Amino acid sequence: MENRKVIFERPRSMTEARTHYCPGCTHGIIHRLIAETIDELDIQDKVIGIAPVGCSVLAYNYFNFDMQQAAHGRAPAVATGIKRVLPDNIVFSYQGDGDLASIGTAEIVHAAARGENITVIFINNAIYGMTGGQMAPTSLVGQKTQTSPYGRDAKLAGYPIKMCEMLSALNGPAYLARVSVHDVKNINKAKRAIKTAFETQMKNKGFSLVEVLSSCPTNWGMHPIEALKWLEENMIPYYPLGEYKTLEEVK
Amino acid sequence: MEKVLMKGNEAIGEAAIRAGCKCFFGYPITPQSELPAYLAKKLPKIEGGVFLQAESEVAAINMVYGAAGAGARVMTSSSSPGISLKQEGISYIAGAELPCVIINIVRGGPGLGDIQPAQSDYFQATKGGGHGDYKLIVLAPSSIQEIADLVMDAFDLADRYRNPVMVMGDGALGQMMEPVAFKEPSAVELPPKDWATTGMKGRKPNLINSLYLDPEKLEKHNLKLQAKYKEIQEKEVRYETKYCEDAELVIVAYGTTARIAETAIRQGRAEGIKVGLIRPITLWPFPTKPFEEVINSVKQFLTIEMNLGQMLEDVKLAVNGRKPVHFYGRTGGMVPTPSEILTQIKKLAGGE
């Protein structure tokens, strides 16, 4: 064993549980990026995560640190309650698009507006996954879902919400970024953004959010590889990647 | 101990601080507004004190959930329509077995109703306003002194049973001023909050949760909750009885209504009518013992509420058909007068 060197291993901040996610779903990648970040920042002992309602409701089974499960959309309020009483801990919420951009719009906007010193990882896969593929606030115009079977019609259902752009109008956020996990280059960029978001909180600079464009092969009705291609070709043009607010701007 | 003249809503705030509550989340609504205003002034001056005006009642109760899960002594307050909005979070808090204190200064409903005193939240408070099989401990004070005492007790009850406790007053109790002497905080030993999410620091991860996807596990969880509720029913029932020794007619009333009824009872007694009072202080668990004590000697009961007959159902369950139970109530924010109640007393006493 002495001459063998470990070059890749499970992050300490992940349990050994097998995830329930569908084949090709990118939740697993994003979970790992968060866990690696927490390990690298050495904050496993003081991090408190908030699991949402939706596909990632069971995230607490996969992360190896303290967690609270929140009601649909309320994670930013729960995170606020925790952070206000434990300001030295690191608090983050993990939320999907239905959770954050629909039922919990008030909570996310106001946590951002308060500059609440928390980190939000926002998974945007343009569909409700857990409930079986209904239209999300982020579903693209023309996108077919269970509840937009003829394609999302903007006249009937309005336009998809661009959360990073919307939140960047507020004074509260310290760091806002949109990333994607459809290829290795972008996965690495996503990791850097997630780390910056946590570091922003560690420096007590205020609210940070990383929107991660994610795939849902099952509910999109696609092969996993096809889904990643669809994400790249359809989601990125509507949801441009990049940093929408950085610490330099808020100084 | 020194007595001070205080408004009910402010006495709640002061009692909470004296009980060690450092953390408040709420959203403005009449007629409880002096309470958050009092805490907004006081809490930031206390080390570790947290006051936050949330964006909604929904957010406020979820902030309470987070803070309670993180081990804080935490309180929120509202009035009827706001409590309706908080029901989502209350169900989650009950499900996750988190301790917190919820103040409800009840006003007239349904809907937006008005801002006058009412007791029409009885069902919502005692029968589980949110979804699922759960119970709140519900305390119903009838004076500013009792508000202060019960708010302090509420925090201990919440921590002991890891359960939300509601202190339910009404617009009159929130707004009136009376002398109050604050008692010393209790020195009772409470179980350690070793379940709270405070960061692992060498232990295994803690989880605050109310999700049990496996129905067998959820049933088990519910049965565990029921066992806890049974223990609370055995140990925590509170009530007061007055003039019951020789009473032929017993009035059942709580809170403000009980005080008004007492005036009517004294007037009735002065006219030779044998009338007594049972005043539930815990609305849940509902006191059944005082009914057993008088059931053989009493001829009839009269329930009086500021609603159209909600506690009436619990009184009927306690009496269980053994004696007639009558009802008199005003609603919509109308407060019954002593003479109205006396009229009811005379009618029933004369009708024998």
Side-chain angles (χ1 to χ4, degrees), chain B residues 50 53 126 145 198 202 219 231 260 278 286 328 340:
Chain B
V50 176
Q53 182 170 315
T126 61
Q145 182 61 56
T198 51
E219 184 178 54
E231 187 188 344
I260 302 165
I278 292 176
F286 188 78
Y328 180 73
E340 272 172 60

Side-chain angles (χ1 to χ4, degrees), chain B residues 30-71:
Chain B
T30 308
Q32 58 83 58
S33 298
E34 297 84 359
L35 167 53
Y38 188 86
L39 292 171
K41 210 185 292 175
K42 298 276 178 172
L43 282 173
K45 309 275 184 195
I46 297 170
E47 203 195 323
V50 176
F51 173 88
L52 185 61
Q53 182 170 315
E55 61 269 31
S56 67
E57 285 90 348
V58 177
I61 193 70
N62 281 283
M63 289 171 185
V64 168
Y65 174 100

Side-chain angles (χ1 to χ4, degrees), chain B residues 233-251:
Chain B
Q233 279 175 304
E234 282 160 7
K235 292 180 179 168
E236 306 299 343
V237 172
R238 300 183 191 200
Y239 60 89
E240 185 185 49
T241 56
K242 277 187 176 171
Y243 313 109
C244 277
E245 297 74 24
D246 62 343
E248 292 174 354
L249 168 66
V250 162
I251 289 179

Side-chain angles (χ1 to χ4, degrees), chain A residues 100 119-124 162-168 173-181 186 188-198 200 207-213 239-247 249:
Chain A
L100 181 138
T119 298
V120 176
I121 308 298
F122 166 38
I123 314 304
N124 179 0
K162 298 177 176 185
M163 286 307 298
C164 276
E165 289 85 336
M166 195 169 117
L167 296 177
S168 64
Y175 182 73
L176 297 170
R178 184 182 289 126
V179 296
S180 173
V181 288
N186 278 285
N188 288 333
K189 278 189 183 173
K191 169 76 178 291
R192 281 197 293 279
I194 289 169
K195 199 164 181 179
T196 305
F198 276 96
T200 302
F207 183 84
S208 55
L209 177 144
V210 179
E211 175 173 346
V212 187
L213 301 186
Y239 297 113
L241 306 182
E243 290 180 325
Y244 285 81
K245 205 149 193 186
T246 63
L247 266 184
E249 288 173 58

